[in-house]
Each structure stands twice: as structure tokens, then as C-alpha cells.
Amino acid sequence: MAQFTKKYDKGIRNRIYLEERRRALEEFRDLEFLHSINPRNKNLLISYMNFLAYTDMTLTSCTNIKNNLKLFLTWNRDYNGNMFFKQIKKSHGEAFFKWAINNSYTTQRLKIIKSDLGHFGEYIEYVLGSEEFQYSGIKNQWYGYKSDFWFKID
């Protein structure tokens, strides 16, 4: 009987922990940010945060990914006409990274941001791309760049 109780308690703890992760990742303290970005980008971001809550990544890593995506989407809103994420081309990505270099972001941080954008694009391509309606046939634009600019970041 005692073993059953321990397993049951562990299941409850895991469920509570998952709910805390979901709450932490889906909560945006800056609601103005959410209302000011492209509504489709907002839906993608919230969906991705919900997806990350179920991964085995640490909460700190997931929070860093969230902050990097917020940085990119803020730049997109302010300097790129608030375009839908999947309409952003490589030249726009290059403009973002040039902006980040001009604003004194380290190359290590830029590599992490590039990786986070790539994973976000993969999520849209492989997870949401399997849905028949809105995202089918989408390709990830964040990998496979051949320009010299990307070699400077890598």
C-alpha cells in the first residue's frame, strides 16, 4: 500500500510540475508585446511555448528560448513591418543579425538566437506542417544558408 501511495504522489508532483512549466512558458508579463505583434506570430509563439512545456529541456532553457524569440519578434515588429514568421526571407534574417551586431550582441548570443529561430522554424514545418489546413507545405527558412554572413556568425 505504501508503494502505491509513493507512485501516486510522484504522478501528482509531475502533473503539478508540468502545469507550472506550462504556466511559466505561456505567461507573458508584457501583454502589450503580445497585442502588438502579428496575430499569427502570436499564435505560433504561444503554441511553441506549450510544445516546449512538454519537452525534457530545463525551464531555464525554455525561458531563454522564449526571450530570444521575443527579441526577434520585437525586431520584426519595429523594423520589418511585422511580417508573418513564415514570410520572412533570408535577407530579413540577415538584416536582423546585422542589427543585433550593431547593438552589441555577442556572437555567442547570436548563435543561440539563430539556433532558437531554426528550432522554431522546424516546429512550424514538422509539427504544424503536418496539419492539412493552415501550415501545410511550409519549409524551414532558417537552415542551409550559404552566404558569407552566416559563416561569420558560426
Side-chain angles (χ1 to χ4, degrees):
M1 185 76 168
Q3 289 177 343
F4 177 74
T5 305
K6 287 181 182 178
K7 287 181 182 177
Y8 181 73
D9 289 344
K10 186 176 180 183
I12 290 174
R13 280 194 309 252
N14 288 343
R15 191 172 302 145
I16 291 171
Y17 178 70
L18 175 63
E19 288 303 315
E20 280 298 309
R21 280 177 61 91
R22 286 187 62 211
R23 185 193 57 74
L25 291 174
E26 292 177 352
E27 176 184 51
F28 289 88
R29 291 191 179 115
D30 184 9
L31 292 178
E32 185 178 324
F33 162 76
L34 277 182
H35 294 298
S36 65
I37 64 172
N38 187 319
R40 296 192 296 175
N41 288 341
K42 177 183 81 168
N43 293 338
L44 288 175
L45 182 63
I46 291 171
S47 175
Y48 188 56
M49 291 302 109
N50 190 21
F51 171 78
L52 286 180
Y54 290 95
T55 65
D56 60 351
M57 298 171 65
T58 65
L59 184 58
T60 304
S61 296
C62 294
T63 304
N64 290 338
I65 291 169
K66 176 174 132 178
N67 291 333
N68 289 337
L69 291 175
K70 280 177 61 177
L71 173 70
F72 176 78
L73 292 174
T74 300
W75 172 85
N76 182 45
R77 176 195 66 203
D78 295 343
Y79 298 101
N80 200 30
N82 211 4
M83 294 177 70
F84 179 46
F85 184 78
K86 295 311 298 179
Q87 295 173 334
I88 295 172
K89 304 292 182 208
K90 294 176 187 178
S91 59
H92 300 127
E94 188 172 328
F96 166 73
F97 285 106
K98 286 181 180 177
W99 171 84
I101 288 170
N102 290 336
N103 285 292
S104 303
Y105 287 94
T106 64
T107 55
Q108 184 64 32
R109 174 94 190 265
L110 295 180
K111 289 178 188 178
I112 294 168
I113 292 172
K114 179 185 170 192
S115 175
D116 293 342
L117 290 171
H119 292 299
F120 187 47
E122 282 182 351
Y123 167 75
I124 295 168
E125 180 179 355
Y126 295 114
V127 176
L128 298 181
S130 62
E131 297 177 4
E132 293 182 10
F133 54 99
Q134 193 172 5
Y135 301 105
S136 62
I138 289 177
K139 299 294 180 200
N140 186 2
Q141 77 272 34
W142 294 98
Y143 287 126
Y145 293 173
K146 300 293 184 200
S147 74
D148 293 334
F149 176 79
W150 295 108
F151 294 115
K152 293 176 193 170
I153 292 177
D154 288 341

